[in-house]
Amino acid sequence: MTNQEERRKQHRHRHKQRVLRGIDDDLTTEFDAAAAKAGSDRSRITRQLWEWYVGRPDVELPERPDK
């Protein structure tokens, strides 16, 4: 295996990556800070919101951190 193939293999994600467009850098920075303050991360919170939005059973909205 070449070095380039090894690097690609190391950076593969378990799940397909999805990109959200139209979100500016400031909002992303604020979101990441709020997620960290809540003891979470962007992916976990986004997944919870999507699951809640489509009505999956036993899913609650994630807690928002205090300002």
Side-chain angles (χ1 to χ4, degrees):
M1 204 179 302
T2 68
N3 284 340
Q4 189 174 11
E5 289 172 334
E6 288 174 5
R7 272 187 254 128
R8 251 189 258 130
K9 187 175 182 179
Q10 290 173 352
H11 294 287
R12 289 191 182 145
H13 293 272
R14 205 171 97 203
H15 300 287
K16 181 179 179 180
Q17 286 186 301
R18 288 159 174 79
V19 177
L20 299 174
R21 296 182 181 178
I23 299 175
D24 63 52
D25 291 342
D26 289 340
L27 180 55
T28 301
T29 301
E30 289 178 44
F31 189 96
D32 287 345
K37 189 173 181 182
S40 192
D41 60 60
R42 187 187 322 163
S43 293
R44 181 178 297 143
I45 291 173
T46 301
R47 186 174 44 257
Q48 286 176 299
L49 290 170
W50 285 32
E51 289 174 338
W52 169 82
Y53 192 82
V54 300
R56 286 196 173 169
D58 302 320
V59 175
E60 296 180 15
L61 284 171
E63 290 291 322
R64 286 174 46 191
D66 294 331
K67 288 198 169 205

